[in-house]
Amino acid sequence: MVVIFFSLTKRYKRCPSDQILVVYGKTGGDGSSRCIHGGAAFIFPIFQDYSFLDLTPISIEVNLTNALSKQNIRVNVPSRFTIGISTEPSVMQNAAERLLGLTLEAIKDLAQEIIFGQLRLVVVSMDIEEINTDRDKFISHITHSVEAELKKVGLKLINVNITDIHDESGYIEALGKEAAAKAINDAIISVSQKDRDGAIGQAKAVQDQRVQVANANAKAVEGENLAKVQVANSDADRRAREAEAEKIAIASEKVQSAKALEEAYAAEKIAELARAARKEAQQKADIIVPAAIDKEKVEIDAEAEAEQIRRIAKGQADAIFMKKEAEAKGIYEILTKQAEGLDRIVKAAGDDSKDAVLLLIADKLPELVKTQAEAIKNIKIDKVTVWEGGGNSKDGKTSTSNFISGMYEAVPPLQDMFNMAGMQLPSYLKGEDVEESSTSSTIIVKDDKSKDRSETDSEDN
C-alpha cells in the first residue's frame, strides 16, 4: 500500500508558473493533448504521459534589409522582437501541437522566419513618410500582422523595438534635412516676428510717453499762462516771452512726434524684410527640395534603363557568339571528316597521291559523262542550209565537213579527263573520221560554176 501510494504521488504533476504542463495520450477530450498552466494534474500510468513547455521570453534580432516599400524604395529596418509561448487556452493547444519537443533555438528560428515575412508585407504596404514619421502606426501594423501569424504556432508577441530606419537612396535623410530646414526657417521667422512686435511695442510706448508728457506740459503751461494773465494782464513783455516759450514748446512737440513716426516706420520696414525672408525660405522648401528629389529619381530611373539595355545587348552578343562558335565547330567537323576521308583514299591508293586523284575521278566519271551528253542533248536542228562553192579549205575539207566538225568541237573535251583517269576515250567520241552528217536536217549545196541548186534530204547520213 505504501509503495502504491508513493507511486501514485509521483504521478501527480504540478505545473510551475513559468511552464505549461502538456498531458498527452488518452486525455478524454476532443484535442490530442491537454494543456495546464499554473495548476496540477494526475498522469495515469500507461495511458498518459506528460511534458513541459518553457515560457521563457525569446529575444530575436531581425535585421530586415532591402525591403521594398509602397513607393518602390528599398529600406533597411533593423529591429528586435521579444516573443514567448502564449498562455491563452486555444493558443496553448497550438503550441502543444507544433512546438512540443523543440528547443528554444528551433522555436527562435521558426519565429524569425515568420517575422521576416510579415515585416516585409508591412513595409511594402506603407509609404516611406509613414514608416519614418508615424512609428506608432508602423509598430501597430507590425504587431497586428506578426501576432496573428505567431498565434498559429502557439507563440505570442511580447515587444517590438524598431532601432533605426534608413535607405540606400538617401530619401529618408533628405526628408530629415527638409524637416530640419523647415524647423530652422520657422524658428527664424518666429524670432523675426517677436523682434518686430517688440520694436513696435517699444515705439508705441515711447510715443505714448512723449504724448502724455507733452500733454501734461501743455496743460501746465496753459494753467500757468492763465494764472499769469489773470495776475498780470498788463505785463506785455512777459506775455511776449510766454508766447515765445509756448511757440518753442509746440515746435519741440512736433519734432518729437516726427521722431516717433520715423522710428515706427523703421520698425515696420524691419518687419517687412523679415516677412520677405520667410516667404523666400518657404518657396525654397516647397519648390527646390521636391525638384531635387524628382531630379534624383529621374537619374536613378535612367541608370536602371541603361543597365537593362546593356544587359540585353550583352545577351544578344553572347547569343551571336555562341551561334558563330557552333557554326565554326560544324564547319571544322565537316572539314575534319573530309580530310579523314581523303587520307583514307590516299592510303587505299598505296600512299600515291596521283592514284588517289585517279580514284576520285573514276568515282565521278559517270557524272562527267552524263554532263557531256547533257551538253548537246536538248539541241534541236530542224534545218541547216549550206551554200557550197565546191572549193576546199587548206586542210582539204569542204564547208559542209567543217560545219559538222565544228559542232563536235563545241562538245566539252573529255579526252583530257579520260587521260587523267588512265582510260582511252572511244574514237567516235574524239571527233576522228567524222563525215558530213546531220540529224533530221536539210542541206542545200550551191555550185558556183553551174549556178544550179540541189536539195538533198537525208534522215541519217
Side-chain angles (χ1 to χ4, degrees), residues 5 7 75 87 89 126 148 150 213 216 234 241 274 294 322 339 355 363 379 419 448:
F5 176 76
S7 298
V75 296
T87 56
M126 297 181 67
L150 291 177
V213 171
S234 62
R241 290 181 180 180
D294 292 338
M322 293 179 67
D355 292 342
D363 181 61
I379 296 177
N419 291 337
D448 290 339

Side-chain angles (χ1 to χ4, degrees), residues 80-145:
R80 183 171 289 278
F81 289 75
T82 303
I83 64 169
I85 296 176
S86 178
T87 56
E88 295 180 13
S90 59
V91 183
M92 278 195 303
Q93 190 68 32
N94 293 338
E97 292 176 358
R98 295 177 174 84
L99 303 180
L100 188 65
L102 296 180
T103 61
L104 289 179
E105 283 297 324
I107 296 174
K108 180 178 179 181
D109 294 339
L110 176 62
Q112 190 174 23
E113 292 179 1
I114 296 174
I115 292 171
F116 261 117
Q118 296 303 313
L119 189 57
R120 286 187 181 275
L121 292 177
V122 172
V123 171
V124 81
S125 65
M126 297 181 67
D127 294 332
I128 293 294
E129 291 79 1
E130 292 180 320
I131 297 174
N132 187 44
T133 58
D134 196 352
R135 292 293 179 89
D136 293 335
K137 181 179 179 181
F138 182 45
I139 293 176
S140 176
H141 286 343
I142 293 174
T143 303
H144 178 73
S145 178

Side-chain angles (χ1 to χ4, degrees), residues 47-112:
F47 300 102
Q48 293 179 350
D49 206 343
Y50 70 96
S51 183
F52 289 96
L53 287 174
D54 196 352
L55 297 178
T56 303
I58 302 173
S59 180
I60 303 174
E61 184 177 0
V62 179
N63 293 324
L64 183 63
T65 58
N66 292 328
L68 195 64
S69 66
K70 189 176 181 180
Q71 298 164 307
N72 292 329
I73 298 176
R74 297 192 178 275
V75 296
N76 300 330
V77 185
S79 57
R80 183 171 289 278
F81 289 75
T82 303
I83 64 169
I85 296 176
S86 178
T87 56
E88 295 180 13
S90 59
V91 183
M92 278 195 303
Q93 190 68 32
N94 293 338
E97 292 176 358
R98 295 177 174 84
L99 303 180
L100 188 65
L102 296 180
T103 61
L104 289 179
E105 283 297 324
I107 296 174
K108 180 178 179 181
D109 294 339
L110 176 62
Q112 190 174 23

Side-chain angles (χ1 to χ4, degrees), residues 191-432:
V191 171
S192 300
Q193 290 176 348
K194 296 299 182 183
D195 291 340
R196 180 196 63 188
D197 295 340
I200 294 173
Q202 183 179 2
K204 287 182 178 180
V206 173
Q207 181 181 0
D208 292 339
Q209 179 184 1
R210 291 180 178 180
V211 170
Q212 290 177 6
V213 171
N215 289 333
N217 291 332
K219 289 180 180 180
V221 171
E222 183 180 0
E224 289 178 357
N225 291 334
L226 291 174
K228 288 178 182 180
V229 169
Q230 292 175 0
V231 173
N233 195 20
S234 62
D235 194 355
D237 186 33
R238 187 175 182 84
R239 288 170 59 187
R241 290 181 180 180
E242 289 177 356
E244 184 68 23
E246 185 179 1
K247 179 181 178 182
I248 294 172
I250 293 173
S252 177
E253 182 180 345
K254 290 183 178 181
V255 170
Q256 296 300 324
S257 298
K259 288 183 178 180
L261 289 174
E262 182 181 359
E263 292 177 357
Y265 291 152
E268 290 180 358
K269 180 180 178 182
I270 294 174
E272 290 297 328
L273 291 175
R275 187 170 64 85
R278 175 179 175 273
K279 287 186 176 181
E280 183 180 359
Q282 185 177 1
Q283 290 294 328
K284 288 182 179 180
D286 294 340
I287 297 175
I288 296 177
V289 173
I293 294 173
D294 292 338
K295 177 183 177 183
E296 186 176 355
K297 182 179 179 182
V298 170
E299 291 177 353
I300 293 173
D301 293 339
E303 290 178 359
E305 184 176 359
E307 181 62 24
Q308 183 180 4
I309 293 173
R310 285 195 295 270
R311 292 188 178 182
I312 292 173
K314 184 177 182 301
Q316 293 176 350
D318 292 341
I320 293 172
F321 176 77
M322 293 179 67
K323 179 181 178 181
K324 294 299 182 182
E325 186 178 9
E327 292 177 354
K329 287 183 179 179
I331 294 172
Y332 174 77
E333 291 295 330
I334 292 172
L335 295 177
T336 301
K337 296 301 182 181
Q338 290 180 350
E340 291 178 357
L342 293 174
D343 183 62
R344 292 180 181 180
I345 291 173
V346 172
K347 289 181 179 180
D351 291 332
D352 190 345
S353 59
K354 292 183 178 181
D355 292 342
V357 171
L358 293 177
L359 287 174
L360 291 174
I361 294 175
D363 181 61
K364 299 294 182 179
L365 190 59
E367 296 180 8
L368 294 174
V369 174
K370 182 179 179 181
T371 303
Q372 174 73 17
E374 292 289 339
I376 60 172
K377 176 181 179 181
N378 295 324
I379 296 177
K380 294 181 180 181
I381 302 174
D382 296 332
K383 186 176 182 180
V384 178
T385 302
V386 179
W387 295 93
E388 180 62 61
N392 296 330
S393 60
K394 294 180 179 181
D395 55 1
K397 295 181 180 179
T398 63
S399 299
T400 303
S401 61
N402 287 332
F403 170 74
I404 300 300
S405 299
M407 290 182 61
Y408 281 96
E409 290 177 358
V411 178
L414 292 178
Q415 181 63 37
D416 294 339
M417 291 184 289
F418 271 76
N419 291 337
M420 291 176 65
M423 295 178 289
Q424 293 294 326
L425 186 67
S427 59
Y428 58 83
L429 290 179
K430 295 181 183 181
E432 297 178 357

